[in-house]
Amino acid sequence: MFLFNFLVLTILCVKCQGVYINGKEYDEYHFSKNGVSHRILHQKRFSSLPWVVRSVYNKTYLTTGWDSFDLETNPEVDDNEQAFLAGYLEGAETQEAIYDHYFNTVRSTCDDKTELCQRINHYLDTNIEWIKGMVEQHAANDPYWNQVNLFYLQMAGIVFGYNSVAPRDKILTVRDIMWINFNWDFGDLESAMKNETNKVLKGNSHCSALIKLLRSKSDILVAHNSWTGYETMRRIMKRYYLPYKNVTGTMVSFSGYPGTLVSGDDFYIINSGLVVQETTNDNNNASLWAYVRPTGQVLEVIRVTVANRLAGGGRSWTKIFSQYNSGTYNNQWMVVDMNKFSPGSVKPELLWILEQMPGYIRAEDQTDALTAQSYWASYNIPFYPDVYNMSGTQALADKYGDFFIHDKCPRARIFKRDHEKVLNAHTMMQLMRSNDFQHDPLSRCNCSPPYSTENAIAARNDLNLINGTYPFPALSHRSYGAIDAKVTSYKLSQSLSLWAVSGHSTGAHLPPFRWSTSDFNRSLPHRGHPDLFNFQPVLFSWPSQQRTD
């Protein structure tokens, strides 16, 4: 079964406990144990396999800020069947969460830009046709294109599974699920089609990330927080075990969103030994958008998935990811290879740094830089001088000053000052949630009042004054900021485990975010969200799943 055959799939028919999918009959068992939902799919017709795909779904979002979804397929099943059924089970199990996320983030996206969305959809259709041709030619023999095909099949399965249980008034199309998954790419695609710089909000930051070698190299910590709009805070922590053939990374845990096959933050812990994360670098050079084309390129969210599955180290990850650069969702990627670390010892190629712009990628081993200063910090400004210059960031620095200079911006200086406070996962979490914008001199700006909560490791822009005066809108009052933090270590990563907290920073005595008292309560959709975000960090340790087969 090749790409987009799902467009003509037979409608799922449920009878008793039997389901028919793509001409095959399965028994589906759905039960709850200790309040946790389990689904298991079995082949019928004399199959010797005890199960095909199974999942465990813990609906704890309203109490901890995270649901968790643990998905596993049987390695004896054909790769294509694994991918589609994995998506089917996720779509059916998390249908309510998917609709909430769609309602809040995609449903109204095109209401005031119909023509632009038509152009984006045309781009997507053209890109899909090109990818379909490449898959038909190469998937049987080329692992890269086989993984591209499996990505689309899993996404197709989500559509199929979702609609098998969704009420009629909440049916979603293939296009809807694509918009959920490709939304990160579409931001840059929109800018390319307008031939404009990346964001109207100059300096609109996206994430903070830190890699820290503890004293005497006793441990290495990898941490990330995601900055985005508050409407996106419907979170699911996921673990996929997809034992496809000829794949190095068969298991991955990541912070994610309902209906998405990728983290989007991005933060991945992979059983190949890699920990992968990024912060976004805006393209402010409109001439580079000429390199964004619908053919010959693969969207970024697919390329990161393929690299995560096929790569065995940082060097190979960057080579795989660099193929078919779409020039969309341009990031600084940090690839930490835990196979190159042991307590007290660091080997070359522990840390690879890749930066992307349309038409250009640069990647190098930065282990020496990490060991020399004991940390690597990332905060949405390109590190490599050529990437920095071609991105147009220098022009912003000339106009607005240090905010746009790599080693002088507020977060660079805060990380440089405070990274020594990191002694363990707990203190790393404290740093990644830190914000004392009213008192920290590094949070000051040419503003009235003379500071901005944007100038912190974990922004809380809802706390900036509505009637304040700011040199550019990114520093102002808006529904945007750090919505989480994730931390893993050498030991935790061995079992794909991490600490994670959902919601806004409460920093140095900042009030928790509450929708009902926020001025965004009426203007911003937040279906399914709790009213108050005041959650504590959760340890996701992914214990062995024990099910009744």
Side-chain angles (χ1 to χ4, degrees):
M1 180 171 62
F2 279 122
L3 181 65
F4 295 125
N5 285 356
F6 66 85
L7 293 175
V8 293
L9 289 174
T10 306
I11 285 294
L12 179 76
C13 177
V14 180
K15 58 178 184 179
C16 298
Q17 292 180 315
V19 296
Y20 290 90
I21 304 174
N22 298 338
K24 289 187 177 182
E25 188 175 6
Y26 301 87
D27 281 326
E28 181 176 341
Y29 296 92
H30 183 203
F31 62 93
S32 293
K33 183 178 180 181
N34 299 325
V36 180
S37 178
H38 297 248
R39 283 184 189 260
I40 306 173
L41 213 60
H42 298 258
Q43 285 183 345
K44 297 188 72 170
R45 301 292 181 185
F46 312 108
S47 172
S48 61
L49 293 176
W51 57 277
V52 177
V53 57
R54 54 193 184 184
S55 67
V56 177
Y57 182 33
N58 201 351
K59 299 181 182 180
T60 52
Y61 172 62
L62 294 178
T63 56
T64 71
W66 302 92
D67 284 344
S68 66
F69 183 72
D70 200 356
L71 177 71
E72 181 179 4
T73 57
N74 193 316
E76 297 184 39
V77 176
D78 174 77
D79 284 359
N80 290 347
E81 188 175 3
Q82 284 187 59
F84 187 86
L85 294 179
Y88 161 78
L89 217 61
E90 181 171 358
E93 186 66 287
T94 66
Q95 178 267 321
E96 292 181 0
I98 290 173
Y99 186 78
D100 288 346
H101 187 60
Y102 162 81
F103 185 94
N104 296 335
T105 64
V106 172
R107 183 181 66 101
S108 302
T109 297
C110 296
D111 285 354
D112 57 350
K113 47 184 180 182
T114 303
E115 182 179 354
L116 178 62
C117 286
Q118 289 174 347
R119 295 176 63 191
I120 291 175
N121 283 328
H122 178 70
Y123 167 99
L124 188 59
D125 290 340
T126 305
N127 182 249
I128 285 170
E129 283 303 309
W130 175 77
I131 287 177
K132 182 178 179 180
M134 295 297 288
V135 165
E136 290 174 344
Q137 293 179 54
H138 304 295
N141 301 306
D142 186 336
Y144 184 98
W145 287 106
N146 184 47
Q147 292 306 315
V148 172
N149 184 51
L150 294 176
F151 180 96
Y152 278 101
L153 286 174
Q154 188 177 352
M155 186 165 59
I158 287 181
V159 180
F160 206 52
Y162 173 95
N163 285 328
S164 73
V165 299
R168 288 189 175 183
D169 61 342
K170 294 181 175 61
I171 293 294
L172 297 181
T173 66
V174 172
R175 184 80 68 191
D176 293 330
I177 299 298
M178 285 185 176
W179 272 78
I180 290 175
N181 276 272
F182 297 142
N183 199 37
W184 293 278
D185 283 281
F186 286 174
D188 279 342
L189 193 58
E190 179 178 337
S191 294
M193 289 183 172
K194 292 181 177 179
N195 196 33
E196 67 180 13
T197 53
N198 193 300
K199 304 292 179 186
V200 175
L201 289 172
K202 298 301 181 189
N204 191 28
S205 302
H206 303 276
C207 303
S208 297
L210 183 65
I211 302 163
K212 176 63 180 175
L213 278 174
L214 298 189
R215 187 169 298 176
S216 302
K217 303 181 179 66
S218 59
D219 201 355
I220 183 170
L221 302 174
V222 183
H224 183 278
N225 64 35
S226 185
W227 295 24
T228 186
Y230 292 173
E231 71 277 10
T232 67
M233 293 188 298
R234 182 62 175 91
R235 305 307 306 276
I236 300 184
M237 191 68 68
K238 302 185 186 183
R239 180 173 71 165
Y240 288 164
Y241 174 53
L242 302 172
Y244 299 138
K245 298 173 182 64
N246 304 313
V247 166
T248 302
T250 57
M251 188 183 298
V252 57
S253 66
F254 59 94
S255 56
Y257 302 81
T260 66
L261 303 184
V262 295
S263 168
D265 287 348
D266 291 92
F267 187 84
Y268 305 93
I269 310 172
I270 310 167
N271 67 341
S272 60
L274 301 185
V275 178
V276 179
Q277 63 181 9
E278 53 87 355
T279 72
T280 300
N281 289 335
D282 283 349
N283 171 37
N284 297 287
N285 179 358
S287 68
L288 294 183
W289 295 128
Y291 292 100
V292 175
R293 304 184 183 99
T295 59
Q297 299 177 356
V298 177
L299 291 172
E300 187 271 357
V301 296
I302 304 174
R303 292 178 10 248
V304 66
T305 302
V306 175
N308 285 347
R309 290 176 182 172
L310 297 181
R315 183 186 295 270
S316 61
W317 192 98
T318 62
K319 287 184 177 180
I320 295 166
F321 178 84
S322 298
Q323 298 180 74
Y324 308 104
N325 175 17
S326 60
T328 53
Y329 201 26
N330 299 289
N331 302 312
Q332 179 189 102
W333 285 96
M334 293 147 273
V335 185
V336 179
D337 186 353
M338 292 296 184
N339 300 303
K340 305 296 184 182
F341 178 86
S342 59
S345 175
V346 169
K347 295 179 181 179
E349 304 203 22
L350 169 65
L351 174 64
W352 274 78
I353 301 297
L354 177 148
E355 291 187 328
Q356 172 188 304
M357 281 289 131
Y360 186 77
I361 286 179
R362 180 173 174 178
E364 294 179 5
D365 177 12
Q366 294 294 340
T367 306
D368 287 346
L370 172 64
T371 55
Q373 60 188 17
S374 82
Y375 77 101
W376 181 278
S378 185
Y379 34 79
N380 313 122
I381 298 180
F383 166 76
Y384 294 122
D386 50 351
V387 179
Y388 180 88
N389 290 330
M390 73 173 58
S391 70
T393 310
Q394 182 61 58
L396 296 177
D398 293 341
K399 183 175 182 179
Y400 295 110
D402 289 353
F403 188 91
F404 293 97
I405 297 177
H406 180 267
D407 58 350
K408 294 182 179 180
C409 70
R411 282 185 288 167
R413 297 168 69 192
I414 294 172
F415 273 130
K416 184 176 182 179
R417 181 191 66 195
D418 292 347
H419 75 92
E420 294 288 358
K421 298 177 182 178
V422 175
L423 305 175
N424 48 39
H426 174 69
T427 49
M428 174 67 97
M429 182 67 77
Q430 287 180 327
L431 176 56
M432 298 305 293
R433 298 284 281 172
S434 64
N435 191 322
D436 190 18
F437 72 102
Q438 292 176 312
H439 306 103
D440 190 338
L442 298 182
S443 297
R444 297 183 72 83
C445 57
N446 184 22
C447 311
S448 179
Y451 41 70
S452 172
T453 184
E454 175 93 355
N455 293 338
I457 301 303
R460 274 291 302 274
N461 286 308
D462 59 293
L463 299 180
N464 287 326
L465 296 186
I466 296 177
N467 58 354
T469 303
Y470 304 92
F472 46 93
L475 299 178
S476 67
H477 176 80
R478 55 201 181 103
S479 57
Y480 193 93
I483 64 163
D484 69 12
K486 294 86 60 179
V487 179
T488 193
S489 66
Y490 171 71
K491 183 177 181 180
L492 286 172
S493 69
Q494 306 306 300
S495 58
L496 279 64
S497 301
L498 70 156
W499 284 95
V501 62
S502 175
H504 315 70
S505 168
T506 52
H509 312 294
L510 304 181
F513 178 82
R514 187 188 291 271
W515 278 112
S516 59
T517 58
S518 167
D519 56 310
F520 306 111
N521 188 40
R522 294 181 179 274
S523 61
L524 203 63
H526 48 279
R527 178 188 172 97
H529 289 196
D531 181 48
L532 178 67
F533 282 83
N534 193 25
F535 301 112
Q536 298 301 309
V538 177
L539 176 62
F540 289 92
S541 56
W542 303 113
S544 298
Q545 300 176 5
Q546 297 181 0
R547 305 177 177 85
T548 303
D549 290 342

